[in-house]
């Protein structure tokens, strides 16, 4: 990566933002190494959050999954699993951190607005304006088996519900006038009469009537994140979100195309095209030299893609149970079966497995790779590998050219996997002028450099802002 | 002659148990919702030697219209407090009349992990029809229907807490297995209005099962660890305690104490100018700290603990902490929790065996 002239780029003064994604489930979190810590011990969460805060990160981020993953009707037993309820865990972290944002992934399909909006408000107040909500809708129906409503919503209806959910949540968050709470014990009432507005909502998804229980926080209300990749998901983000947690952060061209797509969608709904921050999830592997970084990557991939995991990933591609095969042997001789997956494993739909398998065969033969080596080389890819200096150049290029606003880092080790990023990469980014040297605000909205919440902008100002 | 040492719990929601308590609070109303305030009250209670703090809650604002009082959700406050204390037990109030039991179970299990095994759950009901309107659910009306909702909710939560056996995480490098799926269990609960599949997404809580507290006529005794019993006089409390049928019994006592600045009676009268102190049929002590010590001594012959509801936290908590708890302690009537001890073991309750593990053992024995 060549260093670019900072003035000859579209966004010469763009700032890079970091979040940390403390992962709940999937094979990218190494659990077998001696320094792999507990996924549930509160000390793990505290360590990661405090390290991120030391590194001046914008946010600490928790995912959500409301049912344990299954493969062929059996609980998937290879990956880290079992995690705390996100908002509950984040409320605890509010007590042991001071500046970092606390973002909860919470489902709009299997929650109710009065309850979730209130829980998020509480987190926002306990953290004095540091809460975020990553609105997800669930990409499967089987999660519904744990809830009253069951799994009935199809894809489009899930986003319709999400949007109506957000409308109700925002009405609740905005239900208290500023200065509604009395400033002295001698006031006529605890809250000024009429300063709290009931929310009466009757729509296709919700029919409710209630008095909001909490005033606004220091940042107005929680920052809205979105993490879905379909057209509906992106439109939902363009209409509603402050931040997108995308999966387009490994390759510059792919990231830029995604960002351009989002900017177009923002303009189409009348929002300024810099109104949304794009923070793809990614993994960062650092080494003192390029060779060392590549060596470390090899070690990490072998820890992540165990023989059983390799057989599992290949099994999804082939559509066949391969768990009794030899991962260190050659690729299966069978042709892949094109089967419908119920999504319980969160599998990506593969357009034509036969084509992919043919490519895998050719490359495996050419390189004399085993099945496991093939999965590592050609299976799901992610992340950035290199020296702190090379990656700082690369990330400065990404952000100055508008491909991303930063990354949501997923450490491969808990709880120490963030240390070298904070100690080695952050100073390099600071040297290049793309990363803050101190927190300049106190709220998550401040950190992200966001405008005031969408609903707080008057209609003309909103149009005018672009 | 008093009975064995007492466990003391204190309810710390809002500014106190009187609806106008905020008028005598030592802070401005808006400060009620700051993290500093939430942490401070809990710290005072912990240092005083309370076994347990409880945090009231519900979907409706605590104060009635036209001037609602604000309240942060009890589970969120409890988690925040858990991270800033080390010894005291913490029990949020969570009604399951309309809530999703799966979420409730996860939240509470998480609280137990966060607090290192100091969590309890105070089960209550959403009784008012407005609560149904707030949730957007059909109203659950009538005592029986609400009791059924509570019973089902507790049953689901308890089953989910057992749905991971204690050693379900095996991290077996040799076999590449993180989990032993034989030690994870579907709960397959089917009630009258919903079904829950399981297993939980949170590993089994450190206490195995959280300490569940509730009123015995609302939740079946078999589902409770601690019954909270009310009664306007000692005889009524003693009778209710004897009838509870739960492993532990706590009496509900409302207190207004003499302070250096005003007598208890004066303080109550001052607040009664604004609103009546809601009558919940509980024993009420209005008077000196010394007389409260004597009353608690009496109560210790009938109950294992007492939950105190101070008139005004900022005024009564200091008297409890400087006078009442030290006096009990001196007479060896106060059971103080020890650092590093779970709420369960503080209360002398056993860590329950896992129902599914127990079933597996029985299966083998047959
Ligand atoms: C980077 C990324 C992270 C996600 N994390 C979660 C998560 O933690 N929990 C969850 O339920 N869904 C998660 N999702 C799923 C989406 O929120 C969404 O529900 C799903 O992708 C279906 O929407 P779509 O069809 O628009 O992609 C994530 C998606 C992306 C792209």
């Amino acid at each position: 990566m060549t260093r670019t002239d900072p003035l000859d780029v579209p966004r010469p003064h763009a700032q890079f933002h970091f979040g940390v994604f403390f992962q709940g489930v999937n094979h990218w979190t190494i659990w077998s190494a001696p320094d792999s810590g507990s996924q549930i011990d509160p000390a793990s969460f505290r360590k990661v959050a405090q390290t991120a805060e030391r590194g001046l990160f914008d946010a600490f981020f928790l995912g959500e999954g409301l049912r344990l993953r299954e493969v062929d009707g059996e609980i998937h037993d290879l990956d880290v699993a079992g995690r705390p309820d996100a908002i509950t865990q984040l409320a605890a972290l509010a007590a042991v951190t001071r500046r970092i944002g606390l973002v909860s992934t919470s489902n709009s399909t299997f929650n109710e607005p009065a309850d979730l909006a209130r829980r998020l408000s509480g987190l926002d107040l306990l953290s004095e304006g540091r809460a975020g909500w990553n609105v997800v809708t669930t990409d499967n129906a089987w999660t519904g088996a744990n809830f009253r409503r069951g799994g009935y919503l199809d894809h489009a209806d899930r986003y319709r519900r999400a949007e109506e959910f957000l409308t109700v949540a925002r009405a609740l968050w905005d239900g208290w006038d500023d200065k509604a709470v009395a400033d002295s014990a001698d006031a006529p009432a605890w809250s000024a009469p009429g300063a709290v507005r009931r929310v009466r909502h009757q729509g296709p998804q919700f029919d409710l009537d209630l008095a909001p229980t909490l005033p606004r926080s220091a940042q107005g209300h929680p920052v809205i994140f979105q993490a879905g990749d379909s057209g509906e998901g992106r439109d939902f983000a363009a209409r509603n979100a402050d931040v997108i947690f995308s999966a387009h952060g490994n390759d510059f061209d792919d990231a830029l195309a995604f960002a351009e797509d989002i900017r177009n969608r923002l303009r189409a709904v009348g929002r300024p095209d810099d109104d949304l921050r794009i923070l793809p999830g990614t993994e960062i592997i650092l080494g003192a030299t390029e060779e060392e970084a590549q060596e470390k990557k090899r070690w990490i991939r072998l820890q992540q893609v165990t023989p059983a995991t390799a057989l599992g990933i290949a099994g999804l591609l082939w559509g066949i149970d391969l768990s009794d095969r030899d991962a260190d042997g050659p690729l299966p001789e069978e042709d892949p079966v094109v089967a419908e997956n119920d999504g319980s494993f969160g599998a990506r739909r593969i357009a034509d497995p036969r084509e992919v398998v043919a490519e895998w065969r050719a490359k495996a033969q050419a390189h004399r790779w085993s099945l496991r080596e093939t999965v590592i080389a050609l299976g799901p890819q992610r992340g950035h590998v290199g020296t702190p200096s090379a990656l700082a150049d690369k990330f400065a290029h990404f952000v100055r050219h508008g491909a991303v606003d930063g990354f949501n880092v997923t450490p491969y080790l808990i709880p120490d996997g963030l240390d070298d990023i904070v100690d080695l990469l952050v100073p390099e980014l600071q040297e290049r002028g793309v990363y803050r040297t101190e927190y300049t605000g106190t709220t998550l909205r401040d950190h992200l450099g966001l405008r005031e919440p969408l609903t707080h902008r008057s209609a003309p100002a909103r149009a005018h802002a672009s | 002659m008093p009975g064995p040492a007492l466990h003391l719990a204190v309810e710390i929601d809002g500014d106190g148990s009187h609806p106008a308590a905020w008028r005598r609070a030592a802070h401005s109303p808006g400060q009620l919702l700051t993290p500093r305030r939430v942490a401070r009250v809990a710290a005072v209670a912990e240092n005083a030697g309370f076994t347990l703090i409880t945090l009231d809650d519900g979907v409706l604002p605590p104060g009635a219209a036209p001037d609602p009082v604000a309240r942060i959700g009890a589970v969120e406050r409890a988690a925040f407090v858990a991270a800033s204390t080390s010894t005291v037990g913490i029990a949020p109030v969570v009604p399951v009349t309309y809530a999703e039991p799966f979420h409730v179970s996860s939240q509470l299990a998480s609280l137990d992990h966060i607090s290192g095994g100091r969590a309890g759950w105070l089960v209550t009901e959403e009784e008012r029809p407005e609560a149904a309107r707030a949730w957007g659910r059909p109203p659950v009306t009538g005592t029986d229907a609400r009791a059924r909702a509570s019973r089902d909710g507790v049953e689901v939560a308890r089953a989910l807490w057992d749905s991971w056996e204690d050693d379900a995480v095996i991290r077996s490098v040799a076999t590449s297995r993180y989990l032993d799926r034989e030690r994870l269990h579907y709960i397959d609960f089917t009630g009258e209005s919903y079904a829950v599949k399981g297993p939980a997404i949170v590993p089994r809580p450190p206490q195995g099962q959280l300490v569940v507290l509730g009123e015995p006529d609302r939740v079946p005794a078999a589902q409770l660890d601690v019954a909270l019993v009310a009664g306007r006089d000692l005889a009524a409390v003693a009778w209710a305690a004897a009838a509870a049928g739960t492993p532990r019994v706590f009496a509900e006592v409302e207190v207004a104490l003499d302070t250096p600045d005003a007598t208890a009676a004066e303080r109550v009268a001052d607040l009664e100018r604004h609103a009546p102190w809601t009558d919940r049929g509980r024993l009420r002590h209005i008077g000196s700290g010394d007389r409260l010590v004597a009353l608690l001594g009496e109560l210790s012959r009938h109950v294992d603990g007492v939950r105190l509801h101070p008139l005004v936290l900022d005024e009564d908590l200091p008297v409890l902490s400087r006078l009442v708890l030290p006096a009990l302690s001196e007479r060896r009537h106060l059971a103080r929790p020890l650092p590093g001890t779970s709420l369960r073991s503080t209360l002398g309750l056993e860590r329950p065996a896992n129902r599914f593990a127990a079933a597996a053992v029985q299966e083998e024995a047959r």
Side-chain angles (χ1 to χ4, degrees), chain A residues 21 62-65 83 105 107 134-139 155 158-159 226-234 245-247 281:
Chain A
F21 187 40
L62 287 176
E64 183 194 63
R83 52 176 157 191
T105 298
N107 203 290
N134 179 32
V135 185
V136 297
T137 59
T138 297
D139 50 12
H155 191 266
R158 289 201 295 270
Y159 276 110
Q226 185 273 357
D229 209 17
S230 62
E232 282 108 323
R234 295 181 190 196
F245 178 25
S246 87

Side-chain angles (χ1 to χ4, degrees), chain A residues 70 78 85 110 146 148 191, chain B residues 68 99 103 110 177 181 186 198:
Chain A
E70 292 178 2
L78 303 181
D85 173 75
F110 298 108
N146 284 332
R148 287 174 199 256
S191 53
Chain B
H103 287 317
S110 302
R177 303 269 179 267
R181 66 162 77 105
Y186 295 103

